[in-house]
């Protein structure tokens, strides 16, 4: 992903860049996981994960495998079906994924100001 850095705190520009990063990463992860699961004969993998989490009494608020917060949350669960599919998975990756998921939740719930500082924080987490 290549983006031109904004020169001011224009909300629309900053939110657009962050949304574009999120959508791009979500599509890439979702396509990758979908291909992995289909090749192993598990086309209903998302529903299988939903059922597993709900049977464990865990909240599952995701409606799509293209929700990056789902991928980031699920990838940090050690009993996850996707844990072993993501290349170079290690504790540093898990920590960055968890921090990014938390930042995205804050952003989606309007707890972060869409400014250059937030853009730098979020883009650094995407990079990690």
């Amino acid at each position: 992903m290549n983006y031109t850095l904004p020169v001011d705190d224009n909300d629309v520009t900053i939110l657009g860049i962050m949304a574009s990063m999120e959508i791009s990463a979500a599509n890439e992860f979702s396509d990758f996981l979908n291909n992995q699961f289909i090749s192993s004969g598990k086309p209903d993998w998302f529903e299988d994960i939903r059922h597993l989490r709900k049977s464990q009494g865990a909240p599952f608020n995701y409606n799509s495998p293209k929700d990056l917060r789902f991928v980031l949350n699920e990838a940090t669960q050690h009993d996850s079906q996707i844990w072993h599919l993501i290349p170079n998975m290690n504790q540093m990756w898990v920590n960055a994924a968890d921090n990014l998921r938390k930042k995205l939740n804050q952003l989606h719930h309007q707890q972060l100001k869409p400014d250059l500082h937030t853009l730098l924080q979020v883009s650094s987490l995407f990079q990690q």
Side-chain angles (χ1 to χ4, degrees):
M1 297 179 277
N2 292 323
Y3 298 95
T4 302
L5 290 176
V7 294
D8 59 27
D9 276 348
N10 180 288
D11 290 1
V12 173
T13 302
I14 291 171
L15 287 169
I17 291 170
M18 288 190 287
S20 181
M21 286 188 295
E22 183 176 357
I23 289 167
S24 231
N27 286 335
E28 186 176 331
F29 268 118
S30 180
D31 290 346
F32 172 79
L33 292 172
N34 199 43
N35 290 335
Q36 294 290 313
F37 279 110
I38 286 174
S39 70
S40 65
K42 298 177 183 178
D44 299 324
W45 64 274
F46 181 73
E47 289 304 318
D48 292 344
I49 292 172
R50 176 195 312 268
H51 178 71
L52 172 66
R53 296 295 171 222
K54 288 191 174 235
S55 73
Q56 294 173 335
F60 194 91
N61 302 317
Y62 309 105
N63 297 319
S64 168
K66 290 191 181 269
D67 185 333
L68 185 59
R69 294 170 298 165
F70 155 71
V71 174
L72 296 172
N73 183 60
E74 189 63 26
T76 62
Q77 306 297 320
H78 292 285
D79 66 342
S80 175
Q81 297 176 38
I82 70 173
W83 173 265
H84 67 285
L85 298 176
I86 298 175
N88 303 316
M89 177 69 79
N90 59 33
Q91 194 58 48
M92 190 169 85
W93 193 98
V94 169
N95 293 343
D98 197 42
N99 288 333
L100 178 57
R101 181 188 54 78
K102 289 174 183 174
K103 283 289 182 203
L104 291 174
N105 277 337
Q106 289 175 325
L107 184 66
H108 286 267
H109 294 285
Q110 299 179 6
Q111 297 169 339
L112 287 179
K113 183 177 179 184
D115 58 16
L116 292 172
H117 177 72
T118 300
L119 177 60
L120 178 61
Q121 287 180 328
V122 170
S123 61
S124 293
L125 289 169
F126 270 106
Q127 185 179 17
Q128 291 176 17

mmCIF file of all heavy atoms in Angstrom, residues 31-67:
data_model
loop_
_atom_site.group_PDB
_atom_site.id
_atom_site.type_symbol
_atom_site.label_atom_id
_atom_site.label_comp_id
_atom_site.label_asym_id
_atom_site.label_seq_id
_atom_site.Cartn_x
_atom_site.Cartn_y
_atom_site.Cartn_z
ATOM 1 N N ASP A 31 -9.053 -13.026 1.388
ATOM 2 C CA ASP A 31 -8.796 -13.819 0.185
ATOM 3 C C ASP A 31 -7.777 -14.921 0.467
ATOM 4 O O ASP A 31 -7.948 -16.072 0.043
ATOM 5 C CB ASP A 31 -8.295 -12.932 -0.960
ATOM 6 C CG ASP A 31 -9.376 -12.002 -1.500
ATOM 7 O OD1 ASP A 31 -10.573 -12.212 -1.195
ATOM 8 O OD2 ASP A 31 -9.013 -11.054 -2.228
ATOM 9 N N PHE A 32 -6.723 -14.568 1.192
ATOM 10 C CA PHE A 32 -5.699 -15.552 1.543
ATOM 11 C C PHE A 32 -6.302 -16.697 2.353
ATOM 12 O O PHE A 32 -6.105 -17.872 2.040
ATOM 13 C CB PHE A 32 -4.566 -14.876 2.328
ATOM 14 C CG PHE A 32 -3.567 -15.844 2.896
ATOM 15 C CD1 PHE A 32 -2.581 -16.406 2.097
ATOM 16 C CD2 PHE A 32 -3.617 -16.199 4.241
ATOM 17 C CE1 PHE A 32 -1.669 -17.312 2.624
ATOM 18 C CE2 PHE A 32 -2.701 -17.098 4.779
ATOM 19 C CZ PHE A 32 -1.725 -17.652 3.957
ATOM 20 N N LEU A 33 -7.040 -16.353 3.407
ATOM 21 C CA LEU A 33 -7.633 -17.385 4.267
ATOM 22 C C LEU A 33 -8.663 -18.213 3.511
ATOM 23 O O LEU A 33 -8.709 -19.435 3.652
ATOM 24 C CB LEU A 33 -8.250 -16.750 5.513
ATOM 25 C CG LEU A 33 -7.254 -16.130 6.492
ATOM 26 C CD1 LEU A 33 -7.983 -15.355 7.575
ATOM 27 C CD2 LEU A 33 -6.352 -17.207 7.092
ATOM 28 N N ASN A 34 -9.481 -17.551 2.718
ATOM 29 C CA ASN A 34 -10.488 -18.272 1.948
ATOM 30 C C ASN A 34 -9.827 -19.294 1.025
ATOM 31 O O ASN A 34 -10.268 -20.449 0.957
ATOM 32 C CB ASN A 34 -11.347 -17.291 1.151
ATOM 33 C CG ASN A 34 -12.653 -17.899 0.716
ATOM 34 O OD1 ASN A 34 -13.317 -18.583 1.484
ATOM 35 N ND2 ASN A 34 -13.013 -17.654 -0.524
ATOM 36 N N ASN A 35 -8.768 -18.901 0.345
ATOM 37 C CA ASN A 35 -8.048 -19.831 -0.534
ATOM 38 C C ASN A 35 -7.448 -20.991 0.249
ATOM 39 O O ASN A 35 -7.501 -22.146 -0.204
ATOM 40 C CB ASN A 35 -6.954 -19.099 -1.313
ATOM 41 C CG ASN A 35 -7.518 -18.172 -2.357
ATOM 42 O OD1 ASN A 35 -8.625 -18.357 -2.835
ATOM 43 N ND2 ASN A 35 -6.756 -17.151 -2.715
ATOM 44 N N GLN A 36 -6.889 -20.701 1.419
ATOM 45 C CA GLN A 36 -6.306 -21.755 2.251
ATOM 46 C C GLN A 36 -7.369 -22.755 2.696
ATOM 47 O O GLN A 36 -7.154 -23.965 2.625
ATOM 48 C CB GLN A 36 -5.623 -21.148 3.487
ATOM 49 C CG GLN A 36 -4.419 -20.291 3.193
ATOM 50 C CD GLN A 36 -3.254 -21.122 2.694
ATOM 51 O OE1 GLN A 36 -2.915 -22.154 3.258
ATOM 52 N NE2 GLN A 36 -2.645 -20.676 1.623
ATOM 53 N N PHE A 37 -8.495 -22.243 3.174
ATOM 54 C CA PHE A 37 -9.544 -23.139 3.675
ATOM 55 C C PHE A 37 -10.220 -23.910 2.541
ATOM 56 O O PHE A 37 -10.515 -25.102 2.695
ATOM 57 C CB PHE A 37 -10.581 -22.364 4.487
ATOM 58 C CG PHE A 37 -10.150 -22.096 5.899
ATOM 59 C CD1 PHE A 37 -9.837 -20.809 6.306
ATOM 60 C CD2 PHE A 37 -10.051 -23.122 6.821
ATOM 61 C CE1 PHE A 37 -9.430 -20.555 7.618
ATOM 62 C CE2 PHE A 37 -9.653 -22.886 8.129
ATOM 63 C CZ PHE A 37 -9.345 -21.601 8.525
ATOM 64 N N ILE A 38 -10.464 -23.266 1.420
ATOM 65 C CA ILE A 38 -11.089 -23.966 0.295
ATOM 66 C C ILE A 38 -10.190 -25.097 -0.187
ATOM 67 O O ILE A 38 -10.662 -26.205 -0.458
ATOM 68 C CB ILE A 38 -11.436 -22.985 -0.847
ATOM 69 C CG1 ILE A 38 -12.660 -22.154 -0.437
ATOM 70 C CG2 ILE A 38 -11.711 -23.725 -2.155
ATOM 71 C CD1 ILE A 38 -13.023 -21.052 -1.406
ATOM 72 N N SER A 39 -8.881 -24.832 -0.250
ATOM 73 C CA SER A 39 -7.953 -25.876 -0.708
ATOM 74 C C SER A 39 -7.889 -27.058 0.262
ATOM 75 O O SER A 39 -7.531 -28.159 -0.118
ATOM 76 C CB SER A 39 -6.556 -25.301 -0.950
ATOM 77 O OG SER A 39 -5.929 -24.957 0.256
ATOM 78 N N SER A 40 -8.266 -26.817 1.522
ATOM 79 C CA SER A 40 -8.284 -27.924 2.485
ATOM 80 C C SER A 40 -9.700 -28.466 2.693
ATOM 81 O O SER A 40 -9.952 -29.210 3.640
ATOM 82 C CB SER A 40 -7.659 -27.492 3.820
ATOM 83 O OG SER A 40 -8.449 -26.491 4.427
ATOM 84 N N GLY A 41 -10.632 -28.089 1.809
ATOM 85 C CA GLY A 41 -11.985 -28.644 1.847
ATOM 86 C C GLY A 41 -12.883 -28.053 2.915
ATOM 87 O O GLY A 41 -13.827 -28.716 3.348
ATOM 88 N N LYS A 42 -12.609 -26.818 3.341
ATOM 89 C CA LYS A 42 -13.421 -26.173 4.380
ATOM 90 C C LYS A 42 -13.973 -24.834 3.881
ATOM 91 O O LYS A 42 -13.604 -23.777 4.376
ATOM 92 C CB LYS A 42 -12.586 -25.949 5.638
ATOM 93 C CG LYS A 42 -12.066 -27.224 6.263
ATOM 94 C CD LYS A 42 -11.204 -26.925 7.458
ATOM 95 C CE LYS A 42 -10.629 -28.197 8.044
ATOM 96 N NZ LYS A 42 -9.746 -27.926 9.167
ATOM 97 N N PRO A 43 -14.916 -24.869 2.931
ATOM 98 C CA PRO A 43 -15.436 -23.615 2.378
ATOM 99 C C PRO A 43 -16.277 -22.802 3.368
ATOM 100 O O PRO A 43 -16.460 -21.602 3.185
ATOM 101 C CB PRO A 43 -16.273 -24.066 1.179
ATOM 102 C CG PRO A 43 -16.683 -25.466 1.523
ATOM 103 C CD PRO A 43 -15.536 -26.033 2.319
ATOM 104 N N ASP A 44 -16.789 -23.434 4.416
ATOM 105 C CA ASP A 44 -17.628 -22.747 5.407
ATOM 106 C C ASP A 44 -16.839 -22.353 6.647
ATOM 107 O O ASP A 44 -17.379 -22.265 7.752
ATOM 108 C CB ASP A 44 -18.806 -23.640 5.803
ATOM 109 C CG ASP A 44 -19.706 -23.970 4.635
ATOM 110 O OD1 ASP A 44 -19.891 -23.096 3.761
ATOM 111 O OD2 ASP A 44 -20.218 -25.100 4.572
ATOM 112 N N TRP A 45 -15.573 -22.079 6.481
ATOM 113 C CA TRP A 45 -14.668 -21.821 7.595
ATOM 114 C C TRP A 45 -15.123 -20.668 8.483
ATOM 115 O O TRP A 45 -15.006 -20.762 9.696
ATOM 116 C CB TRP A 45 -13.252 -21.588 7.077
ATOM 117 C CG TRP A 45 -13.089 -20.372 6.211
ATOM 118 C CD1 TRP A 45 -13.306 -20.283 4.864
ATOM 119 C CD2 TRP A 45 -12.665 -19.082 6.636
ATOM 120 N NE1 TRP A 45 -13.042 -19.011 4.425
ATOM 121 C CE2 TRP A 45 -12.649 -18.252 5.479
ATOM 122 C CE3 TRP A 45 -12.302 -18.535 7.861
ATOM 123 C CZ2 TRP A 45 -12.278 -16.917 5.534
ATOM 124 C CZ3 TRP A 45 -11.935 -17.202 7.914
ATOM 125 C CH2 TRP A 45 -11.924 -16.398 6.755
ATOM 126 N N PHE A 46 -15.643 -19.609 7.900
ATOM 127 C CA PHE A 46 -16.066 -18.468 8.716
ATOM 128 C C PHE A 46 -17.214 -18.867 9.635
ATOM 129 O O PHE A 46 -17.200 -18.553 10.833
ATOM 130 C CB PHE A 46 -16.455 -17.283 7.830
ATOM 131 C CG PHE A 46 -16.872 -16.067 8.607
ATOM 132 C CD1 PHE A 46 -15.926 -15.296 9.276
ATOM 133 C CD2 PHE A 46 -18.199 -15.693 8.683
ATOM 134 C CE1 PHE A 46 -16.301 -14.167 10.003
ATOM 135 C CE2 PHE A 46 -18.587 -14.570 9.403
ATOM 136 C CZ PHE A 46 -17.633 -13.808 10.062
ATOM 137 N N GLU A 47 -18.187 -19.563 9.097
ATOM 138 C CA GLU A 47 -19.318 -20.022 9.906
ATOM 139 C C GLU A 47 -18.869 -21.037 10.950
ATOM 140 O O GLU A 47 -19.388 -21.060 12.064
ATOM 141 C CB GLU A 47 -20.428 -20.595 9.021
ATOM 142 C CG GLU A 47 -21.152 -19.549 8.218
ATOM 143 C CD GLU A 47 -21.750 -18.433 9.074
ATOM 144 O OE1 GLU A 47 -22.316 -18.713 10.154
ATOM 145 O OE2 GLU A 47 -21.638 -17.259 8.661
ATOM 146 N N ASP A 48 -17.891 -21.867 10.605
ATOM 147 C CA ASP A 48 -17.346 -22.829 11.572
ATOM 148 C C ASP A 48 -16.705 -22.098 12.752
ATOM 149 O O ASP A 48 -16.888 -22.494 13.910
ATOM 150 C CB ASP A 48 -16.308 -23.745 10.911
ATOM 151 C CG ASP A 48 -16.928 -24.694 9.899
ATOM 152 O OD1 ASP A 48 -18.164 -24.880 9.909
ATOM 153 O OD2 ASP A 48 -16.156 -25.247 9.085
ATOM 154 N N ILE A 49 -15.960 -21.047 12.459
ATOM 155 C CA ILE A 49 -15.330 -20.264 13.530
ATOM 156 C C ILE A 49 -16.388 -19.567 14.369
ATOM 157 O O ILE A 49 -16.307 -19.554 15.596
ATOM 158 C CB ILE A 49 -14.308 -19.259 12.943
ATOM 159 C CG1 ILE A 49 -13.108 -20.016 12.358
ATOM 160 C CG2 ILE A 49 -13.848 -18.257 14.002
ATOM 161 C CD1 ILE A 49 -12.133 -19.150 11.579
ATOM 162 N N ARG A 50 -17.406 -18.997 13.705
ATOM 163 C CA ARG A 50 -18.502 -18.342 14.436
ATOM 164 C C ARG A 50 -19.153 -19.334 15.405
ATOM 165 O O ARG A 50 -19.363 -19.030 16.574
ATOM 166 C CB ARG A 50 -19.556 -17.798 13.474
ATOM 167 C CG ARG A 50 -20.768 -17.184 14.198
ATOM 168 C CD ARG A 50 -21.972 -16.967 13.298
ATOM 169 N NE ARG A 50 -21.681 -16.323 12.047
ATOM 170 C CZ ARG A 50 -21.736 -15.013 11.835
ATOM 171 N NH1 ARG A 50 -22.063 -14.205 12.805
ATOM 172 N NH2 ARG A 50 -21.484 -14.523 10.640
ATOM 173 N N HIS A 51 -19.454 -20.535 14.901
ATOM 174 C CA HIS A 51 -20.093 -21.560 15.732
ATOM 175 C C HIS A 51 -19.197 -21.944 16.913
ATOM 176 O O HIS A 51 -19.674 -22.070 18.047
ATOM 177 C CB HIS A 51 -20.434 -22.789 14.885
ATOM 178 C CG HIS A 51 -21.035 -23.892 15.665
ATOM 179 N ND1 HIS A 51 -22.317 -23.845 16.198
ATOM 180 C CD2 HIS A 51 -20.527 -25.089 16.045
ATOM 181 C CE1 HIS A 51 -22.562 -24.947 16.863
ATOM 182 N NE2 HIS A 51 -21.499 -25.726 16.784
ATOM 183 N N LEU A 52 -17.906 -22.130 16.653
ATOM 184 C CA LEU A 52 -16.973 -22.494 17.724
ATOM 185 C C LEU A 52 -16.949 -21.425 18.814
ATOM 186 O O LEU A 52 -17.066 -21.737 20.005
ATOM 187 C CB LEU A 52 -15.557 -22.690 17.162
ATOM 188 C CG LEU A 52 -14.451 -22.878 18.205
ATOM 189 C CD1 LEU A 52 -14.642 -24.190 18.963
ATOM 190 C CD2 LEU A 52 -13.077 -22.805 17.556
ATOM 191 N N ARG A 53 -16.788 -20.167 18.429
ATOM 192 C CA ARG A 53 -16.699 -19.082 19.421
ATOM 193 C C ARG A 53 -17.998 -18.957 20.215
ATOM 194 O O ARG A 53 -17.972 -18.776 21.428
ATOM 195 C CB ARG A 53 -16.334 -17.753 18.747
ATOM 196 C CG ARG A 53 -14.964 -17.756 18.114
ATOM 197 C CD ARG A 53 -13.874 -17.909 19.158
ATOM 198 N NE ARG A 53 -12.582 -18.120 18.533
ATOM 199 C CZ ARG A 53 -11.685 -18.987 18.952
ATOM 200 N NH1 ARG A 53 -11.917 -19.725 20.011
ATOM 201 N NH2 ARG A 53 -10.545 -19.123 18.331
ATOM 202 N N LYS A 54 -19.124 -19.061 19.542
ATOM 203 C CA LYS A 54 -20.404 -18.957 20.253
ATOM 204 C C LYS A 54 -20.609 -20.151 21.179
ATOM 205 O O LYS A 54 -21.151 -19.997 22.268
ATOM 206 C CB LYS A 54 -21.552 -18.802 19.270
ATOM 207 C CG LYS A 54 -21.562 -17.426 18.629
ATOM 208 C CD LYS A 54 -22.834 -17.183 17.860
ATOM 209 C CE LYS A 54 -22.828 -15.767 17.393
ATOM 210 N NZ LYS A 54 -23.989 -15.012 17.780
ATOM 211 N N SER A 55 -20.152 -21.346 20.772
ATOM 212 C CA SER A 55 -20.297 -22.522 21.628
ATOM 213 C C SER A 55 -19.415 -22.413 22.869
ATOM 214 O O SER A 55 -19.694 -23.043 23.884
ATOM 215 C CB SER A 55 -19.968 -23.806 20.852
ATOM 216 O OG SER A 55 -18.580 -23.921 20.626
ATOM 217 N N GLN A 56 -18.366 -21.610 22.786
ATOM 218 C CA GLN A 56 -17.480 -21.366 23.931
ATOM 219 C C GLN A 56 -17.990 -20.222 24.799
ATOM 220 O O GLN A 56 -17.380 -19.896 25.805
ATOM 221 C CB GLN A 56 -16.068 -21.021 23.446
ATOM 222 C CG GLN A 56 -15.365 -22.143 22.742
ATOM 223 C CD GLN A 56 -14.047 -21.708 22.119
ATOM 224 O OE1 GLN A 56 -13.839 -20.535 21.807
ATOM 225 N NE2 GLN A 56 -13.147 -22.656 21.944
ATOM 226 N N GLY A 57 -19.101 -19.616 24.389
ATOM 227 C CA GLY A 57 -19.656 -18.490 25.128
ATOM 228 C C GLY A 57 -18.928 -17.178 24.863
ATOM 229 O O GLY A 57 -19.145 -16.192 25.566
ATOM 230 N N ALA A 58 -18.093 -17.165 23.852
ATOM 231 C CA ALA A 58 -17.344 -15.951 23.513
ATOM 232 C C ALA A 58 -18.200 -15.045 22.621
ATOM 233 O O ALA A 58 -18.984 -15.544 21.812
ATOM 234 C CB ALA A 58 -16.049 -16.314 22.781
ATOM 235 N N PRO A 59 -18.058 -13.749 22.773
ATOM 236 C CA PRO A 59 -18.801 -12.864 21.876
ATOM 237 C C PRO A 59 -18.263 -13.001 20.450
ATOM 238 O O PRO A 59 -17.068 -13.194 20.244
ATOM 239 C CB PRO A 59 -18.526 -11.466 22.427
ATOM 240 C CG PRO A 59 -17.274 -11.595 23.218
ATOM 241 C CD PRO A 59 -17.219 -13.018 23.713
ATOM 242 N N PHE A 60 -19.143 -12.941 19.492
ATOM 243 C CA PHE A 60 -18.743 -12.985 18.087
ATOM 244 C C PHE A 60 -19.596 -11.968 17.352
ATOM 245 O O PHE A 60 -20.736 -12.240 16.979
ATOM 246 C CB PHE A 60 -18.929 -14.393 17.508
ATOM 247 C CG PHE A 60 -18.227 -14.582 16.195
ATOM 248 C CD1 PHE A 60 -16.923 -15.051 16.151
ATOM 249 C CD2 PHE A 60 -18.854 -14.263 15.002
ATOM 250 C CE1 PHE A 60 -16.259 -15.213 14.947
ATOM 251 C CE2 PHE A 60 -18.208 -14.423 13.794
ATOM 252 C CZ PHE A 60 -16.913 -14.896 13.767
ATOM 253 N N ASN A 61 -19.059 -10.783 17.180
ATOM 254 C CA ASN A 61 -19.821 -9.664 16.621
ATOM 255 C C ASN A 61 -19.489 -9.396 15.163
ATOM 256 O O ASN A 61 -19.762 -8.314 14.663
ATOM 257 C CB ASN A 61 -19.553 -8.399 17.440
ATOM 258 C CG ASN A 61 -19.924 -8.584 18.890
ATOM 259 O OD1 ASN A 61 -20.956 -9.157 19.195
ATOM 260 N ND2 ASN A 61 -19.071 -8.135 19.785
ATOM 261 N N TYR A 62 -18.916 -10.353 14.492
ATOM 262 C CA TYR A 62 -18.463 -10.138 13.121
ATOM 263 C C TYR A 62 -19.429 -10.774 12.139
ATOM 264 O O TYR A 62 -19.898 -11.890 12.342
ATOM 265 C CB TYR A 62 -17.059 -10.719 12.937
ATOM 266 C CG TYR A 62 -16.101 -10.245 13.997
ATOM 267 C CD1 TYR A 62 -15.707 -11.081 15.028
ATOM 268 C CD2 TYR A 62 -15.621 -8.939 13.981
ATOM 269 C CE1 TYR A 62 -14.840 -10.640 16.014
ATOM 270 C CE2 TYR A 62 -14.759 -8.487 14.967
ATOM 271 C CZ TYR A 62 -14.371 -9.344 15.983
ATOM 272 O OH TYR A 62 -13.528 -8.896 16.958
ATOM 273 N N ASN A 63 -19.732 -10.059 11.073
ATOM 274 C CA ASN A 63 -20.660 -10.555 10.066
ATOM 275 C C ASN A 63 -19.975 -11.017 8.791
ATOM 276 O O ASN A 63 -20.633 -11.550 7.907
ATOM 277 C CB ASN A 63 -21.684 -9.466 9.707
ATOM 278 C CG ASN A 63 -22.540 -9.101 10.896
ATOM 279 O OD1 ASN A 63 -22.954 -9.959 11.654
ATOM 280 N ND2 ASN A 63 -22.802 -7.818 11.065
ATOM 281 N N SER A 64 -18.680 -10.780 8.717
ATOM 282 C CA SER A 64 -17.975 -11.079 7.478
ATOM 283 C C SER A 64 -16.507 -11.391 7.754
ATOM 284 O O SER A 64 -15.889 -10.760 8.617
ATOM 285 C CB SER A 64 -18.059 -9.870 6.545
ATOM 286 O OG SER A 64 -17.180 -9.987 5.460
ATOM 287 N N PRO A 65 -15.942 -12.305 6.978
ATOM 288 C CA PRO A 65 -14.505 -12.554 7.118
ATOM 289 C C PRO A 65 -13.676 -11.393 6.576
ATOM 290 O O PRO A 65 -12.472 -11.345 6.756
ATOM 291 C CB PRO A 65 -14.283 -13.826 6.294
ATOM 292 C CG PRO A 65 -15.399 -13.856 5.322
ATOM 293 C CD PRO A 65 -16.566 -13.190 6.004
ATOM 294 N N LYS A 66 -14.333 -10.436 5.931
ATOM 295 C CA LYS A 66 -13.637 -9.256 5.416
ATOM 296 C C LYS A 66 -13.579 -8.124 6.441
ATOM 297 O O LYS A 66 -13.133 -7.034 6.130
ATOM 298 C CB LYS A 66 -14.285 -8.772 4.121
ATOM 299 C CG LYS A 66 -14.046 -9.733 2.974
ATOM 300 C CD LYS A 66 -14.454 -9.138 1.663
ATOM 301 C CE LYS A 66 -14.227 -10.115 0.546
ATOM 302 N NZ LYS A 66 -12.928 -9.996 -0.070
ATOM 303 N N ASP A 67 -14.028 -8.398 7.659
ATOM 304 C CA ASP A 67 -13.886 -7.436 8.749
ATOM 305 C C ASP A 67 -12.496 -7.659 9.341
ATOM 306 O O ASP A 67 -12.232 -8.692 9.953
ATOM 307 C CB ASP A 67 -14.972 -7.661 9.796
ATOM 308 C CG ASP A 67 -14.975 -6.629 10.914
ATOM 309 O OD1 ASP A 67 -13.896 -6.055 11.214
ATOM 310 O OD2 ASP A 67 -16.045 -6.408 11.490
#
